[in-house]
Amino acid sequence: MDQEQILARIAEMVDAEKTLRESLASGAIDEATERARLAVLERDLDQCWDLLRRRRAAAASGGDPGAVRARPVAQVEN
């Protein structure tokens, strides 16, 4: 996944987050559903942002950003 793909994925997740909040406000979903889905989105977003930062750091230090892979969510979150 290159930088543009990562940024596109982040934008998709931000849109999904907005849609979830709108669904809650309209009564289409309940709070428990929103919280559960938001938790997954937030973990995935953290993972994407971490990957993007690490790829940029690799490029800035003369490394190969293509060699940087996403870390497991548990590692990113802790």
Side-chain angles (χ1 to χ4, degrees):
M1 193 178 332
D2 67 18
Q3 180 170 312
E4 295 305 315
Q5 290 170 319
I6 296 168
L7 289 169
R9 179 70 181 125
I10 289 170
E12 289 171 10
M13 287 186 282
V14 168
D15 288 344
E17 186 178 35
K18 182 179 176 183
T19 300
L20 277 174
R21 295 189 190 283
E22 290 169 353
S23 294
L24 176 65
S26 71
I29 60 172
D30 61 19
E31 287 183 33
T33 301
E34 182 212 27
R35 276 193 308 272
R37 290 182 186 169
L38 282 176
V40 171
L41 277 174
E42 288 169 1
R43 287 191 301 268
D44 291 347
L45 273 168
D46 287 348
Q47 191 177 33
C48 281
W49 280 117
D50 175 70
L51 176 60
L52 186 61
R53 282 190 297 271
R54 291 177 41 247
R55 287 177 58 92
R56 286 177 174 170
S61 66
D64 177 12
V68 177
R69 300 288 176 240
R71 296 187 298 175
V73 172
Q75 188 176 6
V76 172
E77 292 296 309
N78 296 319

